[in-house]
Amino acid sequence: MHLKVFIDEADSHTANVVVAGYVAQVRQWRRFNKLWRKALKKRGLSFFHTQELWDSDGEFSTLSLQAKEALRIRLFEIADSNLLVGFTIRINEADFNRYYIGDNPRAHRDSQYGLCLRWAFCVLPEYVEALLGKEVKNIHFILERGHRNFQDCQRIFEEIKDSNWEYAPKLGTFSGGSKGEFPGLEAGDALATGSAKAWDHVTSSLTAEPEDARQAIQVVGERCPVIRFQADEEFLRDLKQERIDYAKLIARARRARKKAKRTVSR
């Protein structure tokens, strides 16, 4: 399978970070885009943004409560009927500071948002294969270009793609766009922002391994399952150690290059 993933962050305005998105094949995204835009155009809308819908801002200011709810349900139906897999990732700020940052914040470059994307880049291909029972040939990631951490996520993507991780060859490209340009980003925003509110009522932490990925599914639709992942202590501590090990590896490689240059110059 050749897949595209559109990812966006929730407009939750809280200390916790929730990132979500959808995965589908190119032909599925084409049909999804057509139906999504048709649903918006029918209501006189040029794009969809969840927070503006809830706040009745901008183009959504003239919609009645019933019209907004009907739109939300219709857009969810379009995603559920046309896309393969959805996912949400949540990192609690207190856990992030305690188990990942610790007492040496300068040693760890990833933000909460960056760690969510690191999970997506590393784990998502394996989860999708486990869920669908099909091999992922390559998987391309699209994020909102204007996000403040966009460049840092590109660093993380390239770092993983250049690593010896077994799924690294399946990582395709990393690119950006706007919500108006890509309906997939609008759908990611809807799933992320809705999930951020739902997390407030969720007490369990689902952190199943890829081979048990179905345990991490929250069935919110009939066709498109949604993987729900919350970073726990073990996950954050493991990533912290991986970052330390990676930094040591890079430092050794740099020292080796400097030594080789000195040898050549002699």
Side-chain angles (χ1 to χ4, degrees):
M1 291 185 296
H2 302 275
L3 304 174
K4 281 189 175 183
V5 186
F6 289 89
I7 302 176
D8 200 37
E9 181 183 6
D11 291 323
S12 58
H13 304 294
T14 68
N16 303 321
V17 171
V18 177
V19 170
Y22 283 101
V23 183
Q25 298 182 68
V26 174
R27 60 177 177 80
Q28 293 172 312
W29 280 118
R30 289 196 192 103
R31 175 171 171 76
F32 165 85
N33 292 344
K34 181 179 179 179
L35 294 173
W36 185 277
R37 288 178 172 132
K38 181 179 179 180
L40 294 178
K41 185 177 180 180
K42 182 179 179 181
R43 294 161 174 83
L45 302 170
S46 61
F47 74 104
F48 182 80
H49 188 234
T50 309
Q51 196 63 48
E52 289 191 36
L53 175 78
W54 288 351
D55 295 341
S56 295
D57 287 340
E59 296 182 0
F60 303 93
S61 61
T62 60
L63 295 182
S64 66
L65 183 62
Q66 293 80 3
K68 289 192 292 184
E69 180 63 11
L71 172 61
R72 186 192 67 80
I73 291 173
R74 175 55 185 152
L75 293 180
F76 172 78
E77 290 174 345
I78 292 171
D80 183 53
S81 300
N82 292 278
L83 305 179
L84 286 175
V85 178
F87 60 92
T88 67
I89 315 156
R90 179 181 185 265
I91 295 183
N92 176 276
E93 184 185 42
D95 290 344
F96 173 77
N97 289 330
R98 181 178 181 182
Y99 303 124
Y100 182 75
I101 296 298
D103 56 1
N104 189 11
R106 298 183 65 182
H108 310 290
R109 297 175 62 186
D110 292 354
S111 62
Q112 284 173 263
Y113 181 78
L115 278 186
C116 287
L117 270 295
R118 187 176 288 277
W119 178 93
F121 299 150
C122 287
V123 179
L124 200 55
E126 194 172 359
Y127 266 60
V128 171
E129 286 190 350
L131 283 172
L132 303 180
K134 297 180 181 180
E135 182 184 1
V136 173
K137 297 294 185 180
N138 54 60
I139 183 166
H140 305 276
F141 293 85
I142 300 93
L143 279 65
E144 188 169 21
R145 186 177 288 112
H147 194 282
R148 62 187 180 280
N149 290 319
F150 178 81
Q151 295 296 331
D152 195 50
C153 289
Q154 186 170 18
R155 169 190 65 82
I156 294 170
F157 178 84
E158 292 172 353
E159 178 183 301
I160 296 170
K161 187 172 182 177
D162 292 339
S163 71
N164 59 0
W165 170 60
E166 61 177 314
Y167 279 81
K170 298 179 183 292
L171 296 183
T173 58
F174 176 95
S175 59
S178 65
K179 288 185 174 67
E181 182 182 4
F182 293 114
L185 292 175
E186 298 174 12
D189 165 73
L191 182 59
T193 305
S195 297
K197 289 188 176 293
W199 277 113
D200 295 337
H201 306 288
V202 173
T203 56
S204 63
S205 176
L206 299 178
T207 55
E209 294 298 319
E211 58 267 25
D212 301 317
R214 292 188 179 278
Q215 296 179 18
I217 290 179
Q218 178 185 24
V219 182
V220 296
E222 296 182 359
R223 302 180 185 179
C224 179
V226 175
I227 301 168
R228 179 167 57 84
F229 179 85
Q230 175 165 321
D232 60 4
E233 177 181 350
E234 181 181 2
F235 174 81
L236 293 169
R237 288 190 185 279
D238 285 348
L239 276 183
K240 178 179 180 178
Q241 188 59 50
E242 287 177 11
R243 291 296 304 151
I244 293 173
D245 294 342
Y246 181 78
K248 290 180 179 178
L249 180 65
I250 294 299
R252 285 198 297 269
R254 287 173 177 170
R255 287 195 296 269
R257 285 197 297 269
K258 288 181 179 179
K259 184 176 180 181
K261 289 181 179 179
R262 287 197 297 268
T263 302
V264 171
S265 63
R266 291 175 184 171

